[in-house]
Amino acid sequence: MVLRGGLLTRKEEPVPLKSICVTLSIREFVAGVSATLNYENEEDVPLETFFVFPMDDDSAVYSFEAVVDGKKIKAELQEKRKAHSIYESAISNRRQAFLLEEDKYSRDVFCCNVGNLNPGSKVALTLKSVQELPLEADGALRYVLPAVLNPRYRGSGSFEDSCLDMKPPVVPLEDLPYTFSMVATISSQHGIERIQSNCPFSPTEYLGEYKTSAQVSLADGHKFDRDVELLIYYSEVHTPTVAVEMGQPKDNPDGFMKDPSAMVCFYPNIPEAQSPVICGEFVFLMDRSGSMQCPISKQDKSQLRIEAAKETLLLLLKSLPIGCYFNVYGFGSSYEAFFPNSVQYTQQTMEEALRRVKLMQADLGGTEILTPLQIIYREPSIAGHPLQLFVFTDGEVTDTFNIINEVKRNRLRHRCFSFGIGEGASTSLIKGIARVAGGTSEFITGKDRMQFKALRALKRALQPAVEDISVSWDLPRGLSAKMLSPEQTVLYKGQRLIVYALLSGTMPPAEATGEVNLKYTLQGKSLENRVTFSLQPKPDDNFTIHRLAAKSFLQAKDMGFRDTPAKDKKDVLKISIDCGVISSQTAFIAVNKNVNKPVQGPLTCRDVPRPILFGAASMMPQYHGCALPNAKSSYFSPASQPTRTSRYVGMPDRQDGCKPCKPMVSKDLCALVFGDNHLVQLISLQNADGSWYLDENLAGILGKSLEDLLAAVPVKDANSSSWATVLAVVWLHSNAKQMKGEWELLEKKARTWIHIHAASIMQELVKAAIVFTKSSVDPSIFAL
């Protein structure tokens, strides 16, 4: 069933949450976040209120405190059942109490409970967190403050006690009763080149002679219609670093916080392989739930998610190497496969897949990804073709832990690359499945193009994997390092590797140094990075490195409130409480003991509303159980929801065992899919081997007649496909250079084909093509 969200809030009903204020501090590649929720009870009865909100999966929440009418109350991190018991006991005894917890089914959804808030009382609840910032392909550090929490689709499993079951009401953006503000301070010893954002910000104020510090603030009026994203560009390429942080031996004599901790950041210079991998089984799992009919963002002319997905699949299928194997699955409440099993990539199978792509719609209901994943994993492995799984979804699912666990159970037989589409995609799901299966994760929001990010991931998947990764320490006698991070098995060009360790033993004098060495092999060649660092630990009141290390450990071991193995649950609980970092097994609880007099009067519940985003009006009959005139739903209602079934819709079997796809309905449908985008049209005409045919379709894109193309062939009796392919490559470089990241793989196929089939006349063809198209491209682009 689809998760219901409660009835609309009546405007005359006060909402106790008045504002959310965020203070962000970014130092190098670590972000510290302090978020304050300001409440005020304007009614004449005591209130209990709930607020469900998103957080990034990588956030290590380590502090929660309340200031009630000027008096501070610090919460304690307790085992979750115990925290709930304390909260319920306090409420029943008319005491003020506060509870902060992570959802049992997804670590990127939190709930804040405020119990027995007196009439006229004001309370400020502050939660603090730290997180590593991911590195983008262009060298930017990316920070995202999730502001959008989409309703999560509920499958057939049991999800009692979920934070999302609290049914918060929803209101239009313009009626949202609380405000949002954010101030960010960024500092780096290397200097800050620039800061970009997807939201309106104040002008950047640079501090320091060399722009080593900067401050920006979110413009007034942010309406929760998008996540807040910052891209930070530093002046120098990231170099290997090691930071050592003091422990807390007095307060923690035998726990995780006792010893100094170290955070090691490697940014290895991995060369690009000249001969990419040409084998593999590539399976594309595409979300076709109703929410994929929404735009990627609220910005003008933003593509619908399903249309961007279709264009992305076109590019991916055109970029695959001849001889590999592939399949495409679509999923919603049910799922469909293009082929009964993965098939070898040929001209015939590629054409069949493309015909099916053009007919794809967001018509499969809700978002149930677990069943198609299990079906994919049940398929036998293809010898010599390791499985590479690409998952595209808007991430609106409830039970992320079960999905992550399923991917983790199959991690030794595949790599998983994941893509979160649109605002509010679950960071827990998208990051989690990539992390446990040695892949990479991407988020497509705002003006991001899904096509570019998907092709970048495919390029990585086609590169030989870095193997035999090891980290060794050279430390003075009497000092040893205990690794805390899970071993990373895969590393890609342009990726950063962060590892954590505890340093135990006798710390040497201040001038002493240590060394960390990263070793790995690439195509049989041994490579390494070394970094020397000071062994003098630095104090940090927030114990940032310890808590990031704890988060790294918890992400590897904490598989959910019910699914964490018994052998790991004890360690998860101990480290969570030792470091004060919340987990699925713990919750923050605070009881106001400053007030001796019990709260008077009947307790009234007030849920804090969430905003309705674009497309939400079409979902309201299912989310709220209320009837709206002329409301059309993209989702199945509980009564009409289909059972989970697999479908392979095709023509009768051919003799080669493949089922041909349905024929195209009409030529108009092709125009509807590709529109006037000549780049996509050109790519759609490319053959699986990388070549193009010389025909009217190609001539139309080039703005010529077919007769003109035939008359301009510079070599008598030259293969017409050789001439056509050279012309197509020249057109790509002349007319779509700014989008090279989306077509460079298929263009490389084309160049390889030309070298094989027209090497002796290539120079004449290239020279003639440049003159014929009046292009200024460099002929050297055809070199391999």
Side-chain angles (χ1 to χ4, degrees):
M1 61 178 287
V2 174
L3 180 65
R4 299 170 185 266
L7 296 174
L8 292 176
T9 299
R10 299 191 304 273
K11 285 190 178 182
E12 67 270 16
E13 186 177 273
V15 173
L17 179 62
K18 298 304 178 185
S19 66
I20 301 174
C21 304
V22 175
T23 301
L24 171 65
S25 175
I26 296 175
R27 294 184 179 180
E28 304 300 348
F29 51 86
V30 173
V33 185
S34 177
T36 299
L37 313 177
N38 293 294
Y39 290 85
E40 182 178 358
N41 183 2
E42 297 176 331
E43 302 185 53
D44 56 6
V45 293
L47 299 180
E48 182 177 22
T49 183
F50 308 94
F51 181 42
V52 178
F53 58 95
M55 289 195 71
D56 192 283
D57 177 74
D58 290 333
S59 295
V61 179
Y62 66 87
S63 175
F64 181 56
E65 64 182 29
V67 177
V68 182
D69 298 325
K71 295 181 180 179
K72 184 180 292 187
I73 308 164
K74 189 165 180 63
E76 294 181 356
L77 192 62
Q78 300 276 6
E79 191 274 331
K80 182 168 282 190
R81 287 193 181 94
K82 183 178 179 182
H84 273 262
S85 177
I86 295 171
Y87 179 80
E88 290 162 7
S89 175
I91 296 303
S92 63
N93 288 307
R94 297 182 175 274
R95 311 279 298 195
Q96 281 187 338
F98 311 93
L99 182 73
L100 178 72
E101 64 179 320
E102 178 185 286
D103 186 59
K104 291 182 179 179
Y105 299 95
S106 183
R107 59 163 56 103
D108 65 343
V109 177
F110 280 71
C111 180
C112 179
N113 295 23
V114 178
N116 280 324
L117 185 61
N118 270 318
S121 186
K122 295 182 180 180
V123 59
L125 301 177
T126 299
L127 60 99
K128 296 180 180 179
S129 64
V130 291
Q131 68 183 94
E132 302 167 5
L133 297 185
L135 194 65
E136 296 289 283
D138 62 356
L141 286 167
R142 181 175 183 263
Y143 170 76
V144 175
L145 179 69
V148 176
L149 178 56
N150 293 327
R152 300 288 174 92
Y153 178 85
R154 293 182 62 168
S156 56
S158 174
F159 300 102
E160 70 278 0
D161 300 328
S162 169
C163 291
L164 293 168
D165 268 341
M166 292 181 177
K167 302 178 180 62
V170 293
V171 296
L173 286 171
E174 61 271 17
D175 293 335
L176 199 65
Y178 47 93
T179 61
F180 178 89
S181 62
M182 187 177 88
V183 175
T185 301
I186 301 101
S187 59
S188 170
Q189 60 180 334
H190 301 299
I192 301 163
E193 189 175 287
R194 67 185 187 277
I195 301 168
Q196 296 178 354
S197 177
N198 66 329
C199 296
F201 263 75
S202 65
T204 303
E205 180 182 351
Y206 289 101
L207 307 172
E209 184 179 354
Y210 300 102
K211 290 187 175 181
T212 54
S213 182
Q215 188 174 81
V216 293
S217 58
L218 187 64
D220 293 340
H222 180 75
K223 285 294 186 181
F224 290 81
D225 59 342
R226 69 193 73 173
D227 296 335
V228 180
E229 178 185 81
L230 289 178
L231 295 175
I232 301 111
Y233 295 83
Y234 292 145
S235 299
E236 295 184 14
V237 174
H238 301 267
T239 54
T241 59
V242 179
V244 181
E245 180 181 272
M246 290 178 65
Q248 201 176 22
K250 292 182 180 179
D251 299 332
N252 207 294
D254 58 354
F256 190 90
M257 303 286 286
K258 175 174 72 73
D259 294 319
S261 61
M263 177 171 63
V264 184
C265 175
F266 283 110
Y267 190 58
N269 183 20
I270 301 173
E272 185 170 321
Q274 295 302 309
S275 301
V277 175
I278 58 172
C279 61
E281 179 188 5
F282 299 88
V283 175
F284 306 104
L285 182 56
M286 184 63 70
D287 193 338
R288 286 177 53 189
S289 63
S291 54
M292 288 290 287
Q293 192 61 33
C294 295
I296 289 178
S297 80
K298 285 195 67 179
Q299 298 182 21
D300 291 341
K301 300 181 180 179
S302 177
Q303 268 189 306
L304 295 182
R305 298 173 187 179
I306 190 64
E307 296 305 321
K310 291 162 71 169
E311 191 176 307
T312 299
L313 280 174
L314 166 71
L315 291 166
L316 288 167
L317 291 171
K318 291 291 184 178
S319 300
L320 291 176
I322 286 286
C324 72
Y325 286 76
F326 78 102
N327 204 351
V328 179
Y329 287 75
F331 71 92
S333 300
S334 58
Y335 69 91
E336 293 180 359
F338 279 18
F339 305 98
N341 309 101
S342 291
V343 295
Q344 193 166 25
Y345 181 72
T346 64
Q347 180 68 21
Q348 192 173 40
T349 58
M350 183 197 73
E351 288 179 352
E352 290 182 3
L354 290 178
R355 282 195 290 271
R356 189 69 69 85
V357 168
K358 294 170 186 175
L359 295 171
M360 278 176 49
Q361 298 296 328
D363 57 0
L364 293 185
T367 312
E368 296 198 34
I369 189 174
L370 185 59
T371 298
L373 275 174
Q374 292 169 335
I375 297 299
I376 291 168
Y377 293 143
R378 286 175 195 160
E379 294 295 326
S381 299
I382 302 173
H385 293 271
L387 175 61
Q388 312 264 21
L389 177 62
F390 290 70
V391 179
F392 299 83
T393 178
D394 57 21
E396 296 175 2
V397 296
T398 297
D399 189 9
T400 61
F401 280 119
N402 272 346
I403 299 167
I404 294 169
N405 288 342
E406 182 66 25
V407 175
K408 186 176 183 180
R409 278 191 289 270
N410 293 276
R411 67 188 182 279
L412 298 180
R413 59 165 296 195
H414 82 301
R415 289 187 291 185
C416 180
F417 300 84
S418 57
F419 305 84
I421 305 168
E423 304 290 347
S426 169
T427 61
S428 182
L429 175 68
I430 303 305
K431 291 183 177 182
I433 60 176
R435 181 171 54 244
V436 299
T440 59
S441 59
E442 300 274 9
F443 290 86
I444 298 103
T445 60
K447 295 182 180 179
D448 292 342
R449 282 182 59 80
M450 185 190 309
Q451 298 87 332
F452 170 72
K453 293 194 172 185
L455 268 294
R456 184 169 69 193
L458 178 61
K459 186 177 180 181
R460 286 171 168 170
L462 291 170
Q463 286 283 309
V466 166
E467 299 174 330
D468 303 324
I469 298 173
S470 66
V471 177
S472 59
W473 298 74
D474 184 5
L475 301 172
R477 181 175 296 181
L479 191 64
S480 61
K482 177 185 177 182
M483 296 291 290
L484 297 171
S485 306
E487 293 182 7
Q488 188 160 336
T489 57
V490 179
L491 199 61
Y492 300 98
K493 179 178 174 62
Q495 267 196 311
R496 185 183 60 195
L497 173 66
I498 296 179
V499 296
Y500 297 95
L502 287 179
L503 303 180
S504 58
T506 304
M507 293 300 291
E511 63 276 6
T513 60
E515 186 177 78
V516 187
N517 189 15
L518 171 68
K519 292 184 178 180
Y520 52 94
T521 59
L522 178 64
Q523 292 185 303
K525 183 179 179 181
S526 296
L527 300 168
E528 65 179 272
N529 281 161
R530 293 176 177 271
V531 56
T532 301
F533 63 96
S534 169
L535 279 168
Q536 185 63 24
K538 296 181 180 180
D540 182 347
D541 292 340
N542 294 324
F543 293 96
T544 300
I545 295 177
H546 283 82
R547 283 168 172 143
L548 288 174
K551 182 65 177 182
S552 176
F553 176 88
L554 293 172
Q555 284 178 322
K557 298 292 185 181
D558 187 3
M559 293 294 108
F561 183 72
R562 290 178 175 83
D563 296 323
T564 300
K567 62 183 178 65
D568 292 330
K569 188 170 290 188
K570 184 177 179 181
D571 288 339
V572 167
L573 190 59
K574 184 178 188 306
I575 287 183
S576 176
I577 292 176
D578 274 356
C579 292
V581 174
I582 203 169
S583 69
S584 71
Q585 309 296 321
T586 54
F588 280 106
I589 176 67
V591 177
N592 188 356
K593 299 177 182 178
N594 296 324
V595 181
N596 295 321
K597 184 179 178 181
V599 175
Q600 302 298 310
L603 186 63
T604 303
C605 290
R606 291 283 183 263
D607 294 338
V608 175
R610 296 209 306 265
I612 298 177
L613 300 186
F614 50 83
S618 65
M619 306 177 204
M620 284 172 60
Q622 280 66 42
Y623 285 139
H624 313 303
C626 56
L628 293 180
N630 303 320
K632 297 180 180 180
S633 173
S634 302
Y635 285 82
F636 292 104
S637 65
S640 63
Q641 181 189 333
T643 56
R644 290 185 296 180
T645 58
S646 63
R647 288 190 286 166
Y648 174 77
V649 182
M651 305 288 286
D653 289 347
R654 295 195 320 235
Q655 294 195 355
D656 61 5
C658 288
K659 293 175 182 281
C661 299
K662 292 180 180 179
M664 289 294 294
V665 183
S666 68
K667 291 183 179 179
D668 291 339
L669 181 58
C670 185
L672 180 65
V673 172
F674 298 138
D676 295 327
N677 188 329
H678 286 179
L679 172 62
V680 177
Q681 290 177 2
L682 179 69
I683 290 170
S684 71
L685 297 175
Q686 190 187 32
N687 298 315
D689 60 7
S691 66
W692 273 267
Y693 292 131
L694 193 64
D695 59 16
E696 292 281 2
N697 292 320
L698 178 64
I701 293 169
L702 298 178
K704 307 287 184 180
S705 68
L706 181 58
E707 291 75 16
D708 289 341
L709 264 61
L710 290 169
V713 177
V715 180
K716 186 180 179 180
D717 300 326
N719 183 313
S720 62
S721 287
S722 300
W723 175 234
T725 305
V726 169
L727 286 170
V729 172
V730 169
W731 189 96
L732 286 172
H733 283 271
S734 299
N735 297 276
K737 190 174 183 179
Q738 72 278 11
M739 302 178 75
K740 184 177 180 180
E742 298 180 21
W743 51 257
E744 62 179 330
L745 286 176
L746 60 89
E747 183 257 3
K748 190 171 185 179
K749 281 171 62 175
R751 286 188 283 116
T752 301
W753 186 91
I754 293 168
H755 277 262
I756 293 173
H757 294 89
S760 61
I761 59 173
M762 184 181 69
Q763 289 186 352
E764 293 175 78
L765 292 175
V766 172
K767 183 178 179 181
I770 292 173
V771 172
F772 179 73
T773 59
K774 299 179 180 178
S775 170
S776 59
V777 301
D778 188 338
S780 65
I781 62 172
F782 285 87
L784 286 179

